mmCIF file of all heavy atoms in Angstrom:
data_model
loop_
_atom_site.group_PDB
_atom_site.id
_atom_site.type_symbol
_atom_site.label_atom_id
_atom_site.label_comp_id
_atom_site.label_asym_id
_atom_site.label_seq_id
_atom_site.Cartn_x
_atom_site.Cartn_y
_atom_site.Cartn_z
ATOM 1 N N VAL T 36 -11.184 0.498 -1.870
ATOM 2 C CA VAL T 36 -10.452 -0.640 -2.441
ATOM 3 C C VAL T 36 -11.195 -1.945 -2.170
ATOM 4 O O VAL T 36 -11.353 -2.778 -3.063
ATOM 5 C CB VAL T 36 -9.017 -0.687 -1.872
ATOM 6 C CG1 VAL T 36 -8.330 -1.974 -2.272
ATOM 7 C CG2 VAL T 36 -8.234 0.511 -2.363
ATOM 8 N N VAL T 41 -12.450 1.728 -7.078
ATOM 9 C CA VAL T 41 -11.402 2.725 -7.296
ATOM 10 C C VAL T 41 -11.719 3.582 -8.515
ATOM 11 O O VAL T 41 -11.464 4.780 -8.530
ATOM 12 C CB VAL T 41 -10.026 2.046 -7.455
ATOM 13 C CG1 VAL T 41 -8.944 3.079 -7.676
ATOM 14 C CG2 VAL T 41 -9.699 1.229 -6.234
ATOM 15 N N PHE T 42 -12.322 2.949 -9.531
ATOM 16 C CA PHE T 42 -12.649 3.721 -10.731
ATOM 17 C C PHE T 42 -13.681 4.798 -10.416
ATOM 18 O O PHE T 42 -13.590 5.919 -10.923
ATOM 19 C CB PHE T 42 -13.167 2.782 -11.828
ATOM 20 C CG PHE T 42 -13.295 3.435 -13.165
ATOM 21 C CD1 PHE T 42 -12.283 4.247 -13.645
ATOM 22 C CD2 PHE T 42 -14.415 3.256 -13.937
ATOM 23 C CE1 PHE T 42 -12.393 4.854 -14.884
ATOM 24 C CE2 PHE T 42 -14.528 3.861 -15.178
ATOM 25 C CZ PHE T 42 -13.513 4.662 -15.650
ATOM 26 N N ASP T 45 -11.840 7.519 -8.849
ATOM 27 C CA ASP T 45 -11.135 8.239 -9.907
ATOM 28 C C ASP T 45 -12.084 9.217 -10.594
ATOM 29 O O ASP T 45 -11.767 10.394 -10.802
ATOM 30 C CB ASP T 45 -10.607 7.201 -10.914
ATOM 31 C CG ASP T 45 -9.810 7.830 -12.026
ATOM 32 O OD1 ASP T 45 -9.253 8.906 -11.792
ATOM 33 O OD2 ASP T 45 -9.747 7.241 -13.111
ATOM 34 N N PHE T 52 -12.550 18.284 -10.222
ATOM 35 C CA PHE T 52 -11.840 19.228 -11.078
ATOM 36 C C PHE T 52 -12.811 20.036 -11.943
ATOM 37 O O PHE T 52 -12.738 21.272 -12.013
ATOM 38 C CB PHE T 52 -10.838 18.438 -11.921
ATOM 39 C CG PHE T 52 -10.458 19.067 -13.207
ATOM 40 C CD1 PHE T 52 -9.639 20.185 -13.211
ATOM 41 C CD2 PHE T 52 -10.895 18.554 -14.406
ATOM 42 C CE1 PHE T 52 -9.288 20.767 -14.400
ATOM 43 C CE2 PHE T 52 -10.551 19.131 -15.589
ATOM 44 C CZ PHE T 52 -9.747 20.242 -15.590
ATOM 45 N N ASP T 90 -20.437 -1.488 -12.965
ATOM 46 C CA ASP T 90 -20.475 -1.055 -14.345
ATOM 47 C C ASP T 90 -19.549 0.125 -14.603
ATOM 48 O O ASP T 90 -19.943 1.286 -14.581
ATOM 49 C CB ASP T 90 -21.902 -0.718 -14.759
ATOM 50 C CG ASP T 90 -22.078 -0.891 -16.255
ATOM 51 O OD1 ASP T 90 -21.053 -0.941 -16.946
ATOM 52 O OD2 ASP T 90 -23.214 -0.970 -16.717
ATOM 53 N N ASP T 91 -18.295 -0.217 -14.847
ATOM 54 C CA ASP T 91 -17.297 0.808 -15.130
ATOM 55 C C ASP T 91 -17.603 1.556 -16.417
ATOM 56 O O ASP T 91 -17.199 2.695 -16.587
ATOM 57 C CB ASP T 91 -15.911 0.167 -15.245
ATOM 58 C CG ASP T 91 -15.370 -0.210 -13.886
ATOM 59 O OD1 ASP T 91 -16.060 0.063 -12.890
ATOM 60 O OD2 ASP T 91 -14.279 -0.776 -13.827
ATOM 61 N N ALA T 99 -16.433 10.917 -18.929
ATOM 62 C CA ALA T 99 -15.842 11.487 -20.143
ATOM 63 C C ALA T 99 -16.530 12.809 -20.478
ATOM 64 O O ALA T 99 -15.895 13.800 -20.846
ATOM 65 C CB ALA T 99 -15.986 10.522 -21.314
ATOM 66 N N TRP T 100 -17.851 12.818 -20.304
ATOM 67 C CA TRP T 100 -18.602 14.034 -20.607
ATOM 68 C C TRP T 100 -18.300 15.130 -19.584
ATOM 69 O O TRP T 100 -18.161 16.301 -19.931
ATOM 70 C CB TRP T 100 -20.098 13.722 -20.631
ATOM 71 C CG TRP T 100 -20.917 14.917 -20.931
ATOM 72 C CD1 TRP T 100 -20.849 15.683 -22.057
ATOM 73 C CD2 TRP T 100 -21.904 15.507 -20.103
ATOM 74 N NE1 TRP T 100 -21.741 16.716 -21.963
ATOM 75 C CE2 TRP T 100 -22.410 16.633 -20.788
ATOM 76 C CE3 TRP T 100 -22.433 15.192 -18.846
ATOM 77 C CZ2 TRP T 100 -23.403 17.446 -20.247
ATOM 78 C CZ3 TRP T 100 -23.423 15.991 -18.324
ATOM 79 C CH2 TRP T 100 -23.897 17.105 -19.014
ATOM 80 N N LEU T 102 -15.591 15.556 -17.992
ATOM 81 C CA LEU T 102 -14.286 16.129 -18.336
ATOM 82 C C LEU T 102 -14.410 17.114 -19.489
ATOM 83 O O LEU T 102 -13.726 18.136 -19.526
ATOM 84 C CB LEU T 102 -13.314 15.017 -18.710
ATOM 85 C CG LEU T 102 -12.670 14.311 -17.542
ATOM 86 C CD1 LEU T 102 -11.773 13.209 -18.043
ATOM 87 C CD2 LEU T 102 -11.867 15.299 -16.721
ATOM 88 N N GLY T 103 -15.286 16.782 -20.440
ATOM 89 C CA GLY T 103 -15.532 17.710 -21.538
ATOM 90 C C GLY T 103 -16.079 19.028 -21.019
ATOM 91 O O GLY T 103 -15.665 20.107 -21.462
ATOM 92 N N LEU T 109 -12.804 25.523 -18.426
ATOM 93 C CA LEU T 109 -11.419 26.007 -18.446
ATOM 94 C C LEU T 109 -11.246 27.066 -19.518
ATOM 95 O O LEU T 109 -10.623 28.107 -19.290
ATOM 96 C CB LEU T 109 -10.468 24.827 -18.686
ATOM 97 C CG LEU T 109 -8.982 25.153 -18.609
ATOM 98 C CD1 LEU T 109 -8.619 25.648 -17.223
ATOM 99 C CD2 LEU T 109 -8.147 23.939 -18.954
ATOM 100 N N SER T 110 -11.844 26.809 -20.698
ATOM 101 C CA SER T 110 -11.669 27.776 -21.784
ATOM 102 C C SER T 110 -12.411 29.084 -21.469
ATOM 103 O O SER T 110 -11.920 30.163 -21.748
ATOM 104 C CB SER T 110 -12.135 27.185 -23.111
ATOM 105 O OG SER T 110 -13.510 27.379 -23.280
ATOM 106 N N PHE T 129 -3.636 20.193 -9.375
ATOM 107 C CA PHE T 129 -2.518 19.576 -8.653
ATOM 108 C C PHE T 129 -2.379 20.036 -7.208
ATOM 109 O O PHE T 129 -1.425 19.693 -6.548
ATOM 110 C CB PHE T 129 -1.223 19.814 -9.422
ATOM 111 C CG PHE T 129 -1.230 19.127 -10.752
ATOM 112 C CD1 PHE T 129 -1.399 19.838 -11.912
ATOM 113 C CD2 PHE T 129 -1.107 17.762 -10.819
ATOM 114 C CE1 PHE T 129 -1.428 19.198 -13.133
ATOM 115 C CE2 PHE T 129 -1.138 17.116 -12.031
ATOM 116 C CZ PHE T 129 -1.300 17.833 -13.194
ATOM 117 N N GLY T 207 -4.476 8.875 -5.795
ATOM 118 C CA GLY T 207 -3.352 8.158 -5.211
ATOM 119 C C GLY T 207 -3.507 7.985 -3.713
ATOM 120 O O GLY T 207 -3.190 6.938 -3.161
ATOM 121 N N ARG T 217 -4.576 -3.608 2.142
ATOM 122 C CA ARG T 217 -5.312 -4.823 1.789
ATOM 123 C C ARG T 217 -4.346 -5.967 1.479
ATOM 124 O O ARG T 217 -4.638 -7.128 1.758
ATOM 125 C CB ARG T 217 -6.170 -4.537 0.568
ATOM 126 C CG ARG T 217 -7.246 -5.537 0.389
ATOM 127 C CD ARG T 217 -8.015 -5.266 -0.865
ATOM 128 N NE ARG T 217 -9.061 -6.254 -1.013
ATOM 129 C CZ ARG T 217 -8.849 -7.540 -1.222
ATOM 130 N NH1 ARG T 217 -7.624 -7.984 -1.309
ATOM 131 N NH2 ARG T 217 -9.851 -8.378 -1.337
ATOM 132 N N LEU T 218 -3.197 -5.627 0.892
ATOM 133 C CA LEU T 218 -2.215 -6.655 0.590
ATOM 134 C C LEU T 218 -1.491 -7.125 1.847
ATOM 135 O O LEU T 218 -1.046 -8.254 1.928
ATOM 136 C CB LEU T 218 -1.181 -6.128 -0.414
ATOM 137 C CG LEU T 218 -1.663 -5.939 -1.849
ATOM 138 C CD1 LEU T 218 -0.597 -5.259 -2.670
ATOM 139 C CD2 LEU T 218 -2.016 -7.290 -2.452
ATOM 140 N N ASP T 221 -5.260 -9.365 6.212
ATOM 141 C CA ASP T 221 -6.621 -9.785 5.901
ATOM 142 C C ASP T 221 -7.590 -9.324 6.971
ATOM 143 O O ASP T 221 -8.800 -9.472 6.820
ATOM 144 C CB ASP T 221 -6.691 -11.317 5.797
ATOM 145 C CG ASP T 221 -6.183 -11.799 4.453
ATOM 146 O OD1 ASP T 221 -6.355 -11.053 3.484
ATOM 147 O OD2 ASP T 221 -5.616 -12.897 4.391
ATOM 148 N N PRO T 252 7.356 19.086 -6.408
ATOM 149 C CA PRO T 252 6.064 19.569 -5.902
ATOM 150 C C PRO T 252 5.554 18.665 -4.783
ATOM 151 O O PRO T 252 5.809 17.451 -4.800
ATOM 152 C CB PRO T 252 5.141 19.491 -7.117
ATOM 153 C CG PRO T 252 6.005 19.241 -8.289
ATOM 154 C CD PRO T 252 7.253 18.604 -7.780
ATOM 155 N N THR T 255 3.349 15.606 -5.912
ATOM 156 C CA THR T 255 4.146 14.534 -6.513
ATOM 157 C C THR T 255 4.870 13.727 -5.440
ATOM 158 O O THR T 255 4.903 12.496 -5.484
ATOM 159 C CB THR T 255 5.175 15.114 -7.491
ATOM 160 O OG1 THR T 255 4.499 15.948 -8.422
ATOM 161 C CG2 THR T 255 5.907 14.025 -8.233
ATOM 162 N N ASP T 272 3.918 -9.315 -1.111
ATOM 163 C CA ASP T 272 2.822 -10.238 -1.350
ATOM 164 C C ASP T 272 3.196 -11.292 -2.381
ATOM 165 O O ASP T 272 2.735 -12.416 -2.332
ATOM 166 C CB ASP T 272 1.607 -9.440 -1.835
ATOM 167 C CG ASP T 272 0.372 -10.312 -1.884
ATOM 168 O OD1 ASP T 272 0.063 -10.890 -0.838
ATOM 169 O OD2 ASP T 272 -0.244 -10.417 -2.954
ATOM 170 N N ARG T 273 4.037 -10.884 -3.341
ATOM 171 C CA ARG T 273 4.332 -11.771 -4.461
ATOM 172 C C ARG T 273 5.436 -12.772 -4.166
ATOM 173 O O ARG T 273 5.360 -13.904 -4.582
ATOM 174 C CB ARG T 273 4.749 -10.949 -5.675
ATOM 175 C CG ARG T 273 3.566 -10.332 -6.328
ATOM 176 C CD ARG T 273 3.778 -10.161 -7.779
ATOM 177 N NE ARG T 273 2.476 -9.996 -8.385
ATOM 178 C CZ ARG T 273 2.284 -9.797 -9.664
ATOM 179 N NH1 ARG T 273 3.311 -9.732 -10.468
ATOM 180 N NH2 ARG T 273 1.089 -9.670 -10.138
ATOM 181 N N ARG P 47 -14.442 -4.964 -20.395
ATOM 182 C CA ARG P 47 -14.580 -4.223 -19.128
ATOM 183 C C ARG P 47 -13.238 -3.703 -18.647
ATOM 184 O O ARG P 47 -12.889 -3.829 -17.493
ATOM 185 C CB ARG P 47 -15.205 -5.099 -18.038
ATOM 186 C CG ARG P 47 -16.500 -5.714 -18.433
ATOM 187 C CD ARG P 47 -17.644 -4.766 -18.213
ATOM 188 N NE ARG P 47 -18.603 -4.907 -19.295
ATOM 189 C CZ ARG P 47 -19.717 -4.224 -19.418
ATOM 190 N NH1 ARG P 47 -20.012 -3.319 -18.545
ATOM 191 N NH2 ARG P 47 -20.517 -4.392 -20.427
ATOM 192 N N THR P 49 -12.261 -0.474 -19.013
ATOM 193 C CA THR P 49 -12.310 0.988 -19.160
ATOM 194 C C THR P 49 -11.336 1.684 -18.218
ATOM 195 O O THR P 49 -10.727 2.675 -18.591
ATOM 196 C CB THR P 49 -13.720 1.517 -18.877
ATOM 197 O OG1 THR P 49 -14.273 0.781 -17.805
ATOM 198 C CG2 THR P 49 -14.613 1.393 -20.067
ATOM 199 N N PHE P 50 -11.212 1.156 -17.008
ATOM 200 C CA PHE P 50 -10.312 1.808 -16.048
ATOM 201 C C PHE P 50 -8.875 1.721 -16.548
ATOM 202 O O PHE P 50 -8.119 2.705 -16.489
ATOM 203 C CB PHE P 50 -10.460 1.139 -14.679
ATOM 204 C CG PHE P 50 -9.820 1.902 -13.553
ATOM 205 C CD1 PHE P 50 -9.602 3.266 -13.642
ATOM 206 C CD2 PHE P 50 -9.453 1.246 -12.384
ATOM 207 C CE1 PHE P 50 -9.019 3.970 -12.599
ATOM 208 C CE2 PHE P 50 -8.884 1.935 -11.337
ATOM 209 C CZ PHE P 50 -8.664 3.290 -11.437
ATOM 210 N N HIS P 53 -8.464 4.202 -19.383
ATOM 211 C CA HIS P 53 -8.354 5.572 -18.884
ATOM 212 C C HIS P 53 -6.963 5.821 -18.308
ATOM 213 O O HIS P 53 -6.365 6.872 -18.510
ATOM 214 C CB HIS P 53 -9.421 5.817 -17.826
ATOM 215 C CG HIS P 53 -9.326 7.150 -17.182
ATOM 216 N ND1 HIS P 53 -9.453 8.323 -17.891
ATOM 217 C CD2 HIS P 53 -9.068 7.520 -15.921
ATOM 218 C CE1 HIS P 53 -9.295 9.342 -17.074
ATOM 219 N NE2 HIS P 53 -9.056 8.889 -15.878
ATOM 220 N N ALA P 90 1.481 -6.530 -15.941
ATOM 221 C CA ALA P 90 2.174 -7.162 -14.824
ATOM 222 C C ALA P 90 1.289 -7.179 -13.580
ATOM 223 O O ALA P 90 1.255 -8.155 -12.838
ATOM 224 C CB ALA P 90 3.481 -6.427 -14.518
ATOM 225 N N ARG P 96 -3.475 -12.099 -5.420
ATOM 226 C CA ARG P 96 -4.343 -12.443 -4.306
ATOM 227 C C ARG P 96 -5.511 -11.466 -4.203
ATOM 228 O O ARG P 96 -6.627 -11.831 -3.857
ATOM 229 C CB ARG P 96 -3.529 -12.426 -3.012
ATOM 230 C CG ARG P 96 -4.298 -12.869 -1.799
ATOM 231 C CD ARG P 96 -3.338 -13.150 -0.671
ATOM 232 N NE ARG P 96 -2.697 -11.933 -0.208
ATOM 233 C CZ ARG P 96 -3.031 -11.327 0.923
ATOM 234 N NH1 ARG P 96 -3.975 -11.810 1.666
ATOM 235 N NH2 ARG P 96 -2.424 -10.233 1.303
ATOM 236 N N SER P 100 -10.453 -6.344 -6.752
ATOM 237 C CA SER P 100 -10.255 -5.115 -5.995
ATOM 238 C C SER P 100 -8.769 -4.781 -5.914
ATOM 239 O O SER P 100 -8.377 -3.627 -5.961
ATOM 240 C CB SER P 100 -10.878 -5.239 -4.614
ATOM 241 O OG SER P 100 -9.985 -5.806 -3.706
ATOM 242 N N SER P 103 -7.773 -3.185 -9.236
ATOM 243 C CA SER P 103 -8.197 -1.804 -9.432
ATOM 244 C C SER P 103 -7.400 -0.849 -8.551
ATOM 245 O O SER P 103 -7.119 0.282 -8.951
ATOM 246 C CB SER P 103 -9.708 -1.670 -9.220
ATOM 247 O OG SER P 103 -10.030 -1.522 -7.876
ATOM 248 N N GLN P 110 -1.954 5.180 -11.959
ATOM 249 C CA GLN P 110 -2.436 6.392 -12.604
ATOM 250 C C GLN P 110 -2.065 7.649 -11.812
ATOM 251 O O GLN P 110 -1.587 8.637 -12.370
ATOM 252 C CB GLN P 110 -3.948 6.303 -12.769
ATOM 253 C CG GLN P 110 -4.515 7.522 -13.439
ATOM 254 C CD GLN P 110 -6.018 7.477 -13.495
ATOM 255 O OE1 GLN P 110 -6.626 6.443 -13.329
ATOM 256 N NE2 GLN P 110 -6.622 8.608 -13.740
ATOM 257 N N ALA P 111 -2.282 7.587 -10.496
ATOM 258 C CA ALA P 111 -1.974 8.759 -9.678
ATOM 259 C C ALA P 111 -0.484 9.066 -9.726
ATOM 260 O O ALA P 111 -0.070 10.229 -9.802
ATOM 261 C CB ALA P 111 -2.418 8.518 -8.237
ATOM 262 N N LEU P 114 0.402 10.769 -12.946
ATOM 263 C CA LEU P 114 -0.002 12.177 -12.937
ATOM 264 C C LEU P 114 0.962 13.014 -12.112
ATOM 265 O O LEU P 114 1.322 14.134 -12.484
ATOM 266 C CB LEU P 114 -1.414 12.309 -12.375
ATOM 267 C CG LEU P 114 -2.499 12.024 -13.388
ATOM 268 C CD1 LEU P 114 -3.830 11.876 -12.695
ATOM 269 C CD2 LEU P 114 -2.563 13.148 -14.401
ATOM 270 N N GLY P 115 1.379 12.454 -10.978
ATOM 271 C CA GLY P 115 2.335 13.162 -10.142
ATOM 272 C C GLY P 115 3.634 13.428 -10.892
ATOM 273 O O GLY P 115 4.183 14.536 -10.851
ATOM 274 N N PHE P 118 3.181 16.188 -13.419
ATOM 275 C CA PHE P 118 3.197 17.507 -12.789
ATOM 276 C C PHE P 118 4.632 17.933 -12.489
ATOM 277 O O PHE P 118 5.013 19.087 -12.702
ATOM 278 C CB PHE P 118 2.365 17.459 -11.510
ATOM 279 C CG PHE P 118 2.217 18.783 -10.853
ATOM 280 C CD1 PHE P 118 1.918 19.914 -11.601
ATOM 281 C CD2 PHE P 118 2.366 18.908 -9.485
ATOM 282 C CE1 PHE P 118 1.764 21.155 -10.993
ATOM 283 C CE2 PHE P 118 2.226 20.141 -8.876
ATOM 284 C CZ PHE P 118 1.931 21.261 -9.633
ATOM 285 N N LEU P 119 5.426 16.974 -12.007
ATOM 286 C CA LEU P 119 6.833 17.262 -11.733
ATOM 287 C C LEU P 119 7.549 17.710 -12.997
ATOM 288 O O LEU P 119 8.274 18.719 -13.007
ATOM 289 C CB LEU P 119 7.499 16.005 -11.156
ATOM 290 C CG LEU P 119 9.008 16.083 -10.933
ATOM 291 C CD1 LEU P 119 9.314 17.071 -9.818
ATOM 292 C CD2 LEU P 119 9.577 14.721 -10.584
ATOM 293 N N GLU P 132 -2.305 22.782 -20.668
ATOM 294 C CA GLU P 132 -3.716 22.658 -21.046
ATOM 295 C C GLU P 132 -3.850 21.819 -22.320
ATOM 296 O O GLU P 132 -4.734 20.975 -22.433
ATOM 297 C CB GLU P 132 -4.317 24.039 -21.251
ATOM 298 C CG GLU P 132 -5.832 24.010 -21.284
ATOM 299 C CD GLU P 132 -6.411 25.310 -21.799
ATOM 300 O OE1 GLU P 132 -5.799 26.364 -21.552
ATOM 301 O OE2 GLU P 132 -7.449 25.251 -22.458
ATOM 302 N N PHE P 136 -6.016 18.541 -22.482
ATOM 303 C CA PHE P 136 -7.287 18.649 -23.174
ATOM 304 C C PHE P 136 -7.143 18.650 -24.693
ATOM 305 O O PHE P 136 -8.125 18.757 -25.412
ATOM 306 C CB PHE P 136 -8.039 19.896 -22.711
ATOM 307 C CG PHE P 136 -8.477 19.787 -21.301
ATOM 308 C CD1 PHE P 136 -7.854 20.499 -20.308
ATOM 309 C CD2 PHE P 136 -9.492 18.917 -20.959
ATOM 310 C CE1 PHE P 136 -8.241 20.366 -18.993
ATOM 311 C CE2 PHE P 136 -9.886 18.774 -19.651
ATOM 312 C CZ PHE P 136 -9.259 19.501 -18.665
ATOM 313 N N LEU P 210 -6.901 13.694 -21.219
ATOM 314 C CA LEU P 210 -8.130 13.499 -20.451
ATOM 315 C C LEU P 210 -9.355 13.224 -21.325
ATOM 316 O O LEU P 210 -10.363 12.766 -20.837
ATOM 317 C CB LEU P 210 -8.401 14.716 -19.564
ATOM 318 C CG LEU P 210 -7.410 14.911 -18.418
ATOM 319 C CD1 LEU P 210 -7.792 16.098 -17.565
ATOM 320 C CD2 LEU P 210 -7.325 13.673 -17.556
ATOM 321 N N TYR P 257 -16.233 27.761 -28.329
ATOM 322 C CA TYR P 257 -15.925 26.789 -27.288
ATOM 323 C C TYR P 257 -15.046 25.666 -27.807
ATOM 324 O O TYR P 257 -15.039 25.376 -28.991
ATOM 325 C CB TYR P 257 -17.226 26.264 -26.681
ATOM 326 C CG TYR P 257 -18.036 27.379 -26.105
ATOM 327 C CD1 TYR P 257 -19.310 27.658 -26.557
ATOM 328 C CD2 TYR P 257 -17.476 28.214 -25.130
ATOM 329 C CE1 TYR P 257 -20.023 28.724 -26.043
ATOM 330 C CE2 TYR P 257 -18.179 29.278 -24.625
ATOM 331 C CZ TYR P 257 -19.459 29.534 -25.086
ATOM 332 O OH TYR P 257 -20.142 30.590 -24.584
ATOM 333 N N PRO P 258 -14.310 25.011 -26.898
ATOM 334 C CA PRO P 258 -13.289 24.047 -27.346
ATOM 335 C C PRO P 258 -13.881 22.791 -27.953
ATOM 336 O O PRO P 258 -14.996 22.383 -27.623
ATOM 337 C CB PRO P 258 -12.523 23.719 -26.065
ATOM 338 C CG PRO P 258 -13.465 24.024 -24.975
ATOM 339 C CD PRO P 258 -14.315 25.153 -25.437
ATOM 340 N N THR P 264 -17.162 15.467 -26.583
ATOM 341 C CA THR P 264 -17.681 14.702 -25.438
ATOM 342 C C THR P 264 -19.189 14.866 -25.322
ATOM 343 O O THR P 264 -19.899 13.903 -25.049
ATOM 344 C CB THR P 264 -17.024 15.131 -24.119
ATOM 345 O OG1 THR P 264 -17.084 16.549 -24.023
ATOM 346 C CG2 THR P 264 -15.600 14.685 -24.034
ATOM 347 N N SER P 265 -19.681 16.082 -25.529
ATOM 348 C CA SER P 265 -21.123 16.306 -25.366
ATOM 349 C C SER P 265 -21.929 15.575 -26.425
ATOM 350 O O SER P 265 -22.962 14.978 -26.127
ATOM 351 C CB SER P 265 -21.441 17.802 -25.434
ATOM 352 O OG SER P 265 -20.844 18.451 -24.353
#
Side-chain angles (χ1 to χ4, degrees):
Chain T
V36 171
V41 180
F42 190 45
D45 182 26
F52 155 72
D90 206 343
D91 285 358
W100 180 60
L102 279 178
L109 185 62
S110 86
F129 295 105
R217 198 183 180 294
L218 288 173
D221 280 329
T255 307
D272 189 55
R273 283 210 161 179
Chain P
R47 306 276 142 180
T49 38
F50 193 24
H53 176 61
R96 184 166 67 104
S100 87
S103 84
Q110 180 185 343
L114 278 168
F118 185 45
L119 174 68
E132 195 193 327
F136 292 107
L210 292 182
Y257 301 120
T264 50
S265 295

